[in-house]
Amino acid sequence: MPNRLDLPAGFRWGASTASYQIEGAVDEDGRGPSVWDVFAARPGATKGGQTGRIACDHYHRYGEDVALMRGLGLDGYRFSIAWPRVRPAGDGAVNPAGLAFYDRLVDELLAAGITPLPTLFHWDLPQALEERGGWLDRDTAYRFAEYTETVADRLGDRVPAWITLNEPFVHMVYGYALGIHAPGRTLMLDALPAAHHQLLAHGLAAAVLRERGREVLIANNLTPVRAASQSPADVAAAAAYDALHNRLFTDPLLLGHYPDLSAYGVAEDLGGCVRDGDLELIAGPGLDGLGVNYYNPTRIAAPTEPGLPFAEAPIDGVPRTAFDWPVVPDGLRELLTGLKARYGDALPPVTITENGCSVADEITPDGTVDDRFRIDYLAGHLDAVAQAVAEGVDVRGYFTWSLLDNYEWAEGFSQRFGLVHVDFETQRRTPKASYAWYRELITAHHALHVR
Ligand code: IFM
């Protein structure tokens, strides 16, 4: 069985973070409010009322954080740019101090030998745009393209590849359908325009980046969907869930059309928001890479009550993370080989843009964090990637989630995903055992496949 050391030469090792989860400094240097500032301030919206006001204070401590990345020997670092730092009102005036922060960060990364991989949108929409309809409004896609121009013009000389959006599925479902995340809308299936307008924004931004000769990726949260049984009803429910979670965000990008959503009573024009030419724009000339965020598979059964055409079924008999997510490393191999089987030559090279687990990590009296659970998790998933590569999937890199313990959205600071422990009172960073393990793996892989 191939394992992680068999990953090909040139495979890129990285770690990921996102602006609102680590930066803090929400009121500094002209940053405008984001939907997350407003949502997290609502009583009861997040665990313990916690917000990203300070988070990991990365805005001030990025030098220390890049030094930690250098210590790992990372090839790449995936971070996100806060749109409200760059254009505080969403459109209109550009904030030079906001842009200057990312300029400094990019230079610091390059000086450390690390390739920056920025994501343009990881959920912190400027609040001013939300007040005009947010992602339910088609206009937001055009504002995103303008913001992309601003950032690409400033950083594009040093940043070869860009991720447009992070997990448009999660943003649509949690933010617009269920109201668990900002902006807290509870529209259920009426949230679907938020999917289309995000994808349209991707297409418009991709054109901006391509004009500048930059590579374009998108990071989707994908899950292999398993039917709870082989009964026709369970199999049909699994197909319906797969269409909503996965295909809604990969078919238009890779095939130029939306999947069949008739199980939801929705036509292919997603309730009328798809206009002529949109799908051509979304597919464009093709992605340079597909970012895959993988955490676990999903098991689906036929619904037992009216409403949605599926019901989630438990996955038993496997370890679970502190978040109670099932740990199924082979699900990543299954996902990657399934993408290849579904899309064939239309599947661009894949980068794993997120994968990791939350653990109830504690600093022991000797000052260490023994997160063996995370090491096993990462090792298992990396072996699964190597097996997918051996089965013919072109996977070019792996970015673990996350570099640092950080603000886990509605869960506040209760879920620790980092290779580096952060004490949120003192901002002290303590590399965990998984940090040393990842460093050794990267060193060993680099040595085996001399670059
Ligand atoms: O923390 C998130 C991240 O922002 C998006 N992907 C999943 C991670 C863990 O929940």
Side-chain angles (χ1 to χ4, degrees):
M1 277 284 234
N3 71 36
R4 50 200 177 272
L5 287 174
D6 298 317
L7 285 162
F11 190 83
R12 289 207 301 154
W13 299 94
S16 294
T17 63
S19 46
Y20 191 72
Q21 296 183 268
I22 65 165
E23 283 181 2
V26 294
D27 296 325
E28 273 182 61
D29 293 341
R31 176 187 179 277
S34 77
V35 290
W36 265 96
D37 299 293
V38 173
F39 177 77
R42 274 190 212 163
T46 67
K47 197 171 246 176
Q50 289 172 332
T51 74
R53 202 170 63 77
I54 300 173
C56 304
D57 196 29
H58 171 78
Y59 189 74
H60 301 113
R61 296 170 194 262
Y62 69 92
E64 181 183 352
D65 294 337
V66 173
L68 284 162
M69 297 176 214
R70 186 205 280 262
L72 275 169
L74 294 187
D75 300 311
Y77 171 53
R78 174 179 176 233
F79 60 99
S80 78
I81 294 178
W83 183 348
R85 245 187 234 297
V86 172
R87 283 185 177 248
D91 58 1
V94 172
N95 175 30
L99 268 180
F101 168 67
Y102 296 108
D103 212 41
R104 292 194 295 278
L105 175 61
V106 162
D107 285 343
E108 190 87 7
L109 288 165
L110 293 172
I114 299 166
T115 304
L117 178 59
T119 302
L120 287 158
F121 180 70
H122 197 127
W123 306 347
D124 43 1
L125 189 76
Q127 176 64 18
L129 291 184
E130 171 57 24
E131 282 160 20
R132 283 150 54 179
W135 287 112
L136 298 172
D137 184 354
R138 186 176 171 92
D139 188 60
T140 298
Y142 295 90
R143 304 291 75 83
F144 181 71
E146 283 170 9
Y147 149 70
T148 300
E149 269 180 40
T150 307
V151 183
D153 283 344
R154 180 64 177 261
L155 305 178
D157 57 334
R158 284 154 291 155
V159 175
W162 296 71
I163 295 175
T164 53
L165 307 176
N166 179 69
E167 299 183 356
F169 169 75
V170 177
H171 191 51
M172 173 191 79
V173 171
Y174 280 29
Y176 287 85
L178 303 176
I180 298 167
H181 281 184
R185 312 283 300 264
T186 49
L187 298 169
M188 297 305 287
L189 286 174
D190 290 338
L192 280 170
H196 180 63
H197 295 145
Q198 287 185 84
L199 287 167
L200 180 63
H202 160 84
L204 293 164
V208 167
L209 293 163
R210 278 188 203 109
E211 269 165 33
R212 287 158 178 77
R214 305 294 87 187
E215 290 188 359
V216 181
L217 293 84
I218 184 170
N220 281 344
N221 170 295
L222 299 176
T223 181
V225 180
R226 300 168 171 182
S229 79
Q230 283 315 303
S231 77
D234 284 354
V235 170
Y241 186 78
D242 187 34
L244 185 71
H245 189 132
N246 298 315
R247 302 183 65 164
L248 180 59
F249 298 91
T250 41
D251 283 10
L253 290 162
L254 303 179
L255 303 178
H257 59 75
Y258 278 116
D260 176 6
L261 293 176
S262 55
Y264 298 86
V266 171
E268 277 197 29
D269 66 355
L270 303 190
C273 66
V274 182
R275 297 196 188 159
D276 280 353
D278 285 1
L279 283 157
E280 287 76 7
L281 245 169
I282 291 168
L287 289 166
D288 298 297
L290 178 67
V292 169
N293 295 0
Y294 170 78
Y295 289 91
N296 51 257
T298 307
R299 196 160 158 260
I300 292 292
T304 48
E305 30 186 76
L308 292 169
F310 63 83
E312 202 165 338
I315 296 179
D316 296 323
V318 297
R320 307 190 84 84
T321 72
F323 226 146
D324 203 29
W325 295 353
V327 178
V328 186
D330 191 56
L332 182 50
R333 186 201 55 79
E334 179 185 341
L335 173 66
L336 294 169
T337 55
L339 283 169
K340 185 72 195 168
R342 176 172 288 164
Y343 296 110
D345 290 343
L347 183 71
V350 170
T351 294
I352 308 302
T353 36
E354 285 184 28
N355 175 243
C357 60
S358 64
V359 179
D361 296 315
E362 281 177 16
I363 303 204
T364 57
D366 66 0
T368 60
V369 182
D370 183 7
D371 57 340
R372 205 153 305 189
F373 186 94
R374 178 171 291 104
I375 293 173
D376 290 345
Y377 181 100
L378 298 177
H381 285 77
L382 278 159
D383 287 350
V385 175
Q387 284 148 25
V389 170
E391 290 180 42
V393 189
D394 182 0
V395 188
R396 302 272 175 97
Y398 176 93
F399 288 66
T400 190
W401 186 270
S402 179
L403 176 73
L404 304 170
D405 290 342
N406 59 45
Y407 180 70
E408 180 56 26
W409 308 111
E411 295 298 314
F413 295 99
S414 66
Q415 300 296 332
R416 294 182 175 274
F417 278 89
L419 300 179
V420 176
H421 181 278
V422 177
D423 178 326
F424 295 107
E425 296 296 314
T426 63
Q427 292 299 338
R428 190 182 150 81
R429 273 85 164 130
T430 305
K432 304 178 189 176
S434 58
Y435 176 97
W437 177 87
Y438 199 45
R439 180 186 58 216
E440 278 154 32
L441 172 62
I442 295 171
T443 309
H445 186 267
H446 283 166
L448 268 177
H449 304 273
V450 180
R451 296 176 299 164

